[in-house]
Amino acid sequence: MKGSNAEVISDTTESGRSTGLHSGNVKLKRKNEAAGIRAVDKPVKKKKIINKKTKDNLFGYLFISPWLLGFFGLTLGPMIFSLAASFTDYNITSKMNFIGLDNYKKMFTIDEMFMTSLWNTLYFVLFSVPATTAGAILLAVLLNQKVRGMKFFRTIFYLPSILSGVAVYFLWMQLLSPSTGMINTFLAWFGVDGPAWLFDPEWTKPSLIIMKLWSVGGGMLLYLAVLQGVSKEMYEAAELDGANIFHKFFYITLPMITPIIFFDIVTSTIGSFQIFQEAYVMTDNGSGGPANSLLFYNLHMWNNAFEIFDMGYATAMAWFLFVIVLFLTFINLKLGKKWVYYEGGDKK
């Protein structure tokens, strides 16, 4: 009985408390309503699982995913594989045997044609890059004049740059023929005995440089575009100060187009180091011409990879060339800060 009474008292106490709390809340609510204050339920903020920035990044990666697949599968993957192969004895069909730096030592100690191929390539780069750059600038300046029929001349000079490479090489082999070629025939009209060109070791590389000059239309198009953006007011102000055509060219035109000159030099240097097709097509079975005068670096690397099947050594040569080009590009970027000027005269 005592226990049941205690339970009844406890329940009564708890119900009294809850009833008191409820009545207190009701009184407080009525008091607030009388004072003109209404309770406003605060909306519960839902937590965002993905914020806007992350969502935009995901969409960005989704759109460039085809390029990413191509880069990792067709560029980065083969690069890593070739780097690993350069430290092995590998001939495509055999198992890779790790030999350390032996392939790199072979370049300077065993391979007699390595330095010859490197020198031939450096010779071509040193003379072809300045010649093609200067030729493209000169041609662009001439074709930037307001003369009737200028669109026709621009088209004519641009066409050689879009012709097929192999067809052009065969054409130049005919033009440079010592006996029946049009170039030596033209020189004979003035009593000049033309050289043997592709059959003379001293003239083989100059022959290819002349051939490169014939196709400067691609670079000409870049310079022509930037020349048309140079302010005419600058030329008019220079004329009022008594500047002649040479002053305007060296003090206005050249400084204003230095960014494109810099771009052309960097890309032309990289492209010239990759010369291969000309020597492979224009020499007997890619032999490198008379006295190995056209044995360029890439041609020698090709012969090691696909004629001798020494793929390990060929990949080592490829990485050595990569280091050379990377170093020269770095030098160009450093030196470019001293002579490349952008609009307003600010150095970048």
Side-chain angles (χ1 to χ4, degrees):
M1 292 293 291
K2 289 181 180 180
S4 61
N5 291 336
E7 290 178 359
V8 171
I9 294 170
S10 176
D11 293 341
T12 307
T13 305
E14 289 179 1
S15 62
R17 285 177 184 174
S18 60
T19 306
L21 289 172
H22 178 70
S23 60
N25 291 335
V26 171
K27 289 179 180 178
L28 180 62
K29 185 176 180 181
R30 288 176 180 174
K31 188 177 180 181
N32 289 338
E33 288 178 354
I37 302 173
R38 292 186 178 180
V40 180
D41 295 333
K42 293 183 179 180
V44 180
K45 292 183 178 179
K46 292 182 179 180
K47 228 177 190 181
K48 291 183 178 179
I49 300 176
I50 300 177
N51 57 31
K52 187 177 183 302
K53 186 177 180 181
T54 305
K55 191 175 181 181
D56 292 341
N57 290 336
L58 289 175
F59 274 113
Y61 286 118
L62 178 64
F63 282 121
I64 66 170
S65 58
W67 180 86
L68 290 174
L69 291 174
F71 174 74
F72 287 108
L74 301 177
T75 302
L76 185 61
M79 285 182 66
I80 296 174
F81 175 81
S82 66
L83 180 62
S86 68
F87 298 101
T88 64
D89 181 15
Y90 177 53
N91 65 357
I92 301 179
T93 59
S94 68
K95 183 181 177 181
M96 290 184 176
N97 298 316
F98 182 77
I99 57 174
L101 297 175
D102 288 355
N103 285 326
Y104 293 92
K105 293 177 183 177
K106 180 181 177 181
M107 297 180 193
F108 303 98
T109 58
I110 300 176
D111 188 2
E112 298 178 355
M113 292 293 102
F114 173 77
M115 293 305 298
T116 301
S117 64
L118 184 60
W119 161 247
N120 289 337
T121 306
L122 289 173
Y123 179 99
F124 181 79
V125 172
L126 288 173
F127 287 96
S128 68
V129 172
T132 53
T133 302
I137 294 173
L138 178 62
L139 191 58
V141 171
L142 293 175
L143 295 177
N144 194 38
Q145 308 303 315
K146 293 183 178 180
V147 180
R148 182 178 295 179
M150 187 55 69
K151 292 182 179 180
F152 171 76
F153 290 109
R154 291 173 182 173
T155 304
I156 292 299
F157 282 102
Y158 178 69
L159 279 177
S161 63
I162 62 174
L163 295 178
S164 174
V166 176
V168 170
Y169 306 149
F170 279 108
L171 171 64
W172 275 93
M173 289 173 66
Q174 297 296 323
L175 293 174
L176 295 171
S177 176
S179 56
T180 60
M182 290 182 62
I183 295 178
N184 279 1
T185 301
F186 176 76
L187 293 175
W189 292 348
F190 300 93
V192 178
D193 188 14
W197 300 111
L198 296 175
F199 297 93
D200 187 350
E202 295 182 0
W203 282 95
T204 51
K205 288 184 284 292
S207 300
L208 297 190
I209 294 172
I210 294 172
M211 186 178 68
K212 292 290 288 185
L213 283 171
W214 183 66
S215 59
V216 296
M220 175 270 298
L221 199 63
L222 288 175
Y223 290 113
L224 186 60
V226 73
L227 282 173
Q228 293 182 352
V230 179
S231 175
K232 296 179 181 179
E233 286 76 10
M234 299 179 67
Y235 291 112
E236 293 173 356
E239 288 179 359
L240 292 175
D241 291 337
N244 57 30
I245 187 173
F246 295 103
H247 292 148
K248 289 189 290 184
F249 177 76
F250 286 105
Y251 294 104
I252 297 178
T253 303
L254 278 182
M256 293 300 292
I257 66 173
T258 48
I260 301 299
I261 296 175
F262 174 71
F263 171 79
D264 190 23
I265 289 175
V266 172
T267 55
S268 296
T269 301
I270 296 173
S272 297
F273 267 103
Q274 297 175 353
I275 181 172
F276 166 75
Q277 286 186 350
E278 294 88 336
Y280 184 77
V281 174
M282 301 176 74
T283 59
D284 186 19
N285 295 324
S287 60
N292 295 314
S293 58
L294 289 181
L295 184 65
F296 293 114
Y297 194 94
N298 276 5
L299 180 60
H300 186 45
M301 181 171 61
W302 166 273
N303 289 335
N304 277 282
F306 299 105
E307 296 291 337
I308 308 175
F309 292 103
D310 191 354
M311 188 61 72
Y313 179 62
T315 53
M317 289 184 64
W319 276 96
F320 184 76
L321 180 63
F322 173 77
V323 172
I324 293 175
V325 173
L326 185 66
F327 175 74
L328 291 178
T329 304
F330 176 78
I331 296 298
N332 280 329
L333 291 173
K334 286 295 182 181
L335 294 179
K337 296 179 180 179
K338 297 183 178 180
W339 62 273
V340 178
Y341 291 86
Y342 293 84
E343 190 173 358
D346 297 328
K347 293 182 179 180
K348 301 293 182 181

